[in-house]
Amino acid sequence: MASLGDSDSVYSSVKDYYGKVLESTKDLKTSACTAGSAPHPIVRQIIGKVPQAVVGRFFGCGNPIPLGIEGKDVLDLGSGSGRDCYVAAALVGREGSVTGVDMTDEQLAIARENVDEFGKILGYAPKLRFVTGYIEKLEEAGVESESVDICISNCVINLSPNKRQVLEGVYGSLRTGGELYFSDMYADRELPESVRSNEVLRGEGMGGALFVRDFEQMAVDIGFARPRVLAVGRIVVHDPELQQMVGDANFYSITYRLFKVQESSADNGPFAAEYLGTIEGHKDKYELDVDHVFETGTPMRVDLGTAAILSSSWLARYFAVKPQANNSLKPAAQITPTETLLDRADQVATSGCGAAEQASTSCCAS
């Protein structure tokens, strides 16, 4: 897919929108940056400790922060005021590190000036830094190759004029077994130039939203394992003029998981995977994606791709994966096509539950 307009003009537009136009979420004209489902209670508790100056300038569209990341090195693309970085810094602890990359000076200033205050709340100085740079040029921003365990991003990649370059850079920065765990905006069709070039829609991310099929194919072409969907929510356009402009196009907040693992093996399975229950906050079960929810201590048949993720990624210490000796387990779950998940999100939105609910949960679940 072609880049979104001239890169310099896109950068300038986005910088102005997030640095000067938006003062808080009250200034938004869509639900794009408020469409995420409720964070995990552990994450909510940490957010309550993050300085208000940081939280007040948060414009994410999901909750792309996994638990169980103690000691890991985390990278946040388009970290903004830094809220997700602050949360991640608490989760990785003293031994882990968090780096936020952003191009907007106003946002970076807020992120940097509150680190010491947060360290006092944590009781130690976190390895938390914010660097100026473009998410398409991670090496120039000081992010070394194969130095990251988990890359997160919250409603930012859609703002990039070159999304392939972003994904390629992330792939290169991840260690083998690493993951890009992120929420972003997507469309259910190709968007006309009038939508892609509108400054408000571009600023709120919808103008740059990729068609889901294009994105998933791009990720696989770069080398990631098959994309896994963790959550889907419908995005609502509030402004009447913008509603008319987008026409029949529908937009969604999707939390994807992209793993840097090889989905191949001399043993083609079948495999049995057992979750050990050792991730704090996920004692009884662990949701890998909408199709794979593992109950603690209960073996579950999985296909080769899922076995590769659970045995070769950063999640490996939390799972026991081995060839299945018999056929006593239920057949492996099939990955639900993303288009089907979008349809479910539409049903949830039209039933009155709102855009913030996940396609994988029941209506109006908390």
Side-chain angles (χ1 to χ4, degrees), residues 36 58 69-70 76 134 156 188 204 206 215 218 235 244 267:
F58 171 72
I69 60 175
E70 298 88 349
D76 185 3
Y134 296 103
V156 171
D188 63 354
E204 301 209 7
M206 299 168 72
F215 164 75
M218 181 188 300
I235 292 173
Q244 185 175 7
D267 186 350

Side-chain angles (χ1 to χ4, degrees), residues 12-324:
S12 177
S13 175
V14 172
K15 283 181 180 179
D16 286 344
Y17 200 71
Y18 284 88
K20 299 179 174 63
V21 176
L22 295 182
E23 293 295 332
S24 72
T25 55
K26 295 180 181 179
D27 299 322
L28 297 166
K29 297 180 183 296
T30 74
S31 70
C33 294
T34 57
S37 57
H40 188 281
I42 291 178
V43 173
R44 287 204 301 268
Q45 183 180 32
I46 298 172
I47 291 174
K49 299 177 181 179
V50 176
Q52 185 56 41
V54 172
V55 175
R57 292 291 294 264
F58 171 72
F59 302 117
C61 65
N63 297 290
I65 308 175
L67 301 181
I69 60 175
E70 298 88 349
K72 298 300 183 183
D73 296 314
V74 175
L75 171 68
D76 185 3
L77 302 180
S79 51
S81 65
R83 193 205 74 168
D84 287 350
C85 286
Y86 279 71
V87 174
L91 292 173
V92 301
R94 296 174 182 270
E95 301 303 318
S97 71
V98 179
T99 298
V101 177
D102 204 275
M103 65 178 182
T104 308
D105 292 335
E106 293 86 349
Q107 294 278 66
L108 284 165
I110 294 172
R112 289 166 176 158
E113 67 188 18
N114 288 279
V115 173
D116 289 343
E117 178 185 346
F118 191 59
K120 294 177 182 178
I121 295 172
L122 293 178
Y124 60 88
K127 297 176 184 177
L128 172 60
R129 65 173 183 145
F130 296 93
V131 298
T132 303
Y134 296 103
I135 62 175
E136 300 87 353
K137 303 176 181 179
L138 292 178
E139 288 193 354
E140 291 185 12
V143 180
E144 298 180 357
S145 297
E146 299 186 351
S147 64
V148 175
D149 296 305
I150 299 161
C151 180
I152 61 175
S153 186
N154 205 334
C155 203
V156 171
I157 296 177
N158 55 82
L159 301 173
S160 171
N162 193 328
K163 297 169 180 62
R164 175 177 285 276
Q165 190 174 355
V166 174
L167 293 183
E168 289 174 341
V170 171
Y171 190 85
S173 71
L174 287 172
R175 298 183 176 107
T176 299
E179 176 186 7
L180 171 56
Y181 186 118
F182 73 114
S183 298
D184 224 314
M185 283 177 272
Y186 299 88
D188 63 354
R189 66 198 67 201
E190 296 280 358
L191 300 176
E193 183 60 29
S194 59
V195 173
R196 291 165 56 78
S197 60
N198 180 273
E199 289 204 1
V200 174
L201 289 174
R202 177 189 289 174
E204 301 209 7
M206 299 168 72
L210 277 179
F211 182 29
V212 288
R213 291 182 187 174
D214 291 342
F215 164 75
E216 292 183 355
Q217 186 60 55
M218 181 188 300
V220 172
D221 290 345
I222 289 171
F224 287 104
R226 181 176 178 179
R228 303 301 179 105
V229 174
L230 187 61
V232 180
R234 178 78 176 270
I235 292 173
V236 179
V237 180
H238 302 303
D239 186 88
E241 292 185 11
L242 296 182
Q243 285 180 347
Q244 185 175 7
M245 183 173 295
V246 300
D248 294 330
N250 295 312
F251 298 88
Y252 306 84
S253 166
I254 303 179
T255 299
Y256 272 109
R257 307 189 70 170
L258 304 183
F259 289 90
K260 186 176 179 178
V261 298
Q262 295 297 318
E263 294 182 296
S264 61
S265 171
D267 186 350
N268 291 320
F271 299 91
E274 179 181 344
Y275 173 53
L276 304 179
T278 50
I279 297 179
E280 182 182 5
H282 297 303
K283 178 181 178 182
D284 298 322
K285 64 181 180 180
Y286 184 81
E287 185 176 8
L288 175 67
D289 55 44
V290 295
D291 299 301
H292 296 86
V293 180
F294 297 86
E295 295 183 1
T296 299
T298 302
M300 178 176 169
R301 186 188 294 186
V302 296
D303 61 16
L304 176 60
T306 302
I309 290 173
L310 299 180
S311 63
S312 302
S313 76
W314 69 272
L315 290 170
R317 61 176 170 167
Y318 300 119
F319 284 84
V321 181
K322 57 185 178 181
Q324 184 183 357

